[in-house]
Amino acid sequence: PELSRFNAIVIDTDLEGVDGLETTSQIRTEAETYSIPVLLLIPEDQLEQRSSQSLRGANGFIAKPFTPA
């Protein structure tokens, strides 16, 4: 899909075969997508590890699992 038409992108960092952090870095290098807000879905058991690392340009993160309001 044409990513430039999205208002925000949510990327799971824990998908098999997909590196969410690398995908975020790539989004930030593309002229048509660099300004789109990116949120990462991070497994709760990796929060401490991830909070001490770079989010590779993501605007923030959401711990999973989560309960929608």
Side-chain angles (χ1 to χ4, degrees):
E2 187 178 319
L3 291 178
S4 63
R5 66 183 189 168
F6 290 101
N7 294 322
I9 299 172
V10 179
I11 301 174
D12 194 327
T13 62
D14 197 36
L15 291 176
E16 189 173 323
V18 177
D19 184 335
L21 293 172
E22 182 58 36
T23 301
T24 301
S25 293
Q26 190 166 3
I27 287 169
R28 291 297 181 229
T29 64
E30 301 293 327
E32 66 180 35
T33 58
Y34 75 87
S35 65
I36 299 172
V38 175
L39 292 174
L40 298 175
L41 289 177
I42 299 175
E44 194 172 77
D45 64 346
Q46 295 179 15
L47 279 180
E48 189 171 313
Q49 172 190 354
R50 294 285 187 206
S51 66
S52 65
Q53 297 177 354
S54 167
L55 295 178
R56 303 249 184 116
N59 297 87
F61 64 89
I62 300 169
K64 66 175 194 171
F66 58 89
T67 305

